[in-house]
Amino acid sequence: MAEFKIAVVVGSLRRDSFNRRLASALPALGPKDFVFKQLEIGDLPLYNQDDDAQPAASVARLKSEIAASQGVIFVTPEYNRSVPGVLKNAIDHASRPYGKSAWAGKPAGVIGVSVGAIGTSLAQQHLRNVLAYLDMPTLGQPEAFIQAKEGLFDASGALGAESAGFVQKWVDAYAAWVRRHA
Ligand code: FNR
């Protein structure tokens, strides 16, 4: 039976998203006592503080899935040198109402793929700022800035051999980080 449930939040809604592909590759690299679940964020309404007292069903679902997890991995592209709005929207939803944030204390990991050479580094830097405020201990090393280029994924859509080795090291470090904060 899995001891650690990890919520995986993907910052892209694109059908053929590189980041979703990366997120989908994580379970195969995780330890046996870890399970990974991608959370749906595409059906969340735009955050409106007026709705805090009566959240939409999709918001309640997101918060309960985070609450049931022992850690959260954010797999995100970079949009205009920051995080995509859909991801920030999900983060804001689950952080409210004030004092009832679902994120607090959950050990976080940040990883992402972009077509640009800086591989989401600025988006990750912005995200780390948000996660610090949300009181999420966030893995610092290794950093994982991945550029989408030939060989990242193989013909079947799985991670290519070289990239799998790199992501495996990141997953190992994140798993150790979660155990440390359990
Ligand atoms: C981008 N892209 C991009 N890439 C980057 O390296 N830095 C950036 O600031 C941006 N900005 C940006 C803004 C917007 C609105 C879009 C749609 C795209 C390109 C981005 O890396 C590329 O579209 C990725 O494929 C997005 O990730 P997914 O959807 O494949 O997971």
Side-chain angles (χ1 to χ4, degrees), residues 4-122:
F4 298 99
K5 294 193 205 104
I6 306 302
V8 179
V9 182
V10 179
S12 172
L13 304 183
R14 192 169 77 85
R15 202 176 308 110
D16 296 322
S17 161
F18 295 127
N19 286 280
R20 188 164 300 282
R21 277 198 239 169
L22 173 60
S24 300
L26 296 178
L29 305 177
K32 284 201 168 49
D33 53 344
F34 276 57
V35 287
F36 298 79
K37 182 178 183 189
Q38 286 182 34
L39 307 189
E40 175 66 52
I41 62 169
D43 61 351
L44 299 172
L46 285 178
Y47 178 76
N48 180 338
Q49 196 177 356
D50 291 340
D51 301 330
D52 272 7
Q54 287 179 310
S58 55
V59 174
R61 180 202 64 220
L62 176 73
K63 288 194 74 170
S64 70
E65 287 174 330
I66 296 163
S69 70
Q70 282 73 49
V72 184
I73 295 177
F74 295 90
V75 187
T76 188
E78 178 172 291
Y79 278 6
N80 300 312
R81 299 291 183 250
S82 188
V83 292
V86 289
L87 175 57
K88 186 59 164 54
N89 187 54
I91 291 172
D92 291 343
H93 268 300
S95 72
R96 288 277 154 166
Y98 183 75
K100 298 266 171 58
S101 170
W103 305 112
K106 305 284 179 189
V110 178
I111 188 168
V113 189
S114 74
V115 296
I118 59 169
T120 75
S121 64
L122 285 168

Side-chain angles (χ1 to χ4, degrees), residues 22 25-26 28-30 111 142-144 146 151-154 158-173:
L22 173 60
L26 296 178
L29 305 177
I111 188 168
E143 296 174 305
I146 302 172
L152 176 58
F153 299 103
D154 65 20
L159 282 169
E162 199 182 326
S163 34
F166 175 78
V167 177
Q168 180 70 68
K169 288 198 183 91
W170 185 88
V171 170
D172 291 348

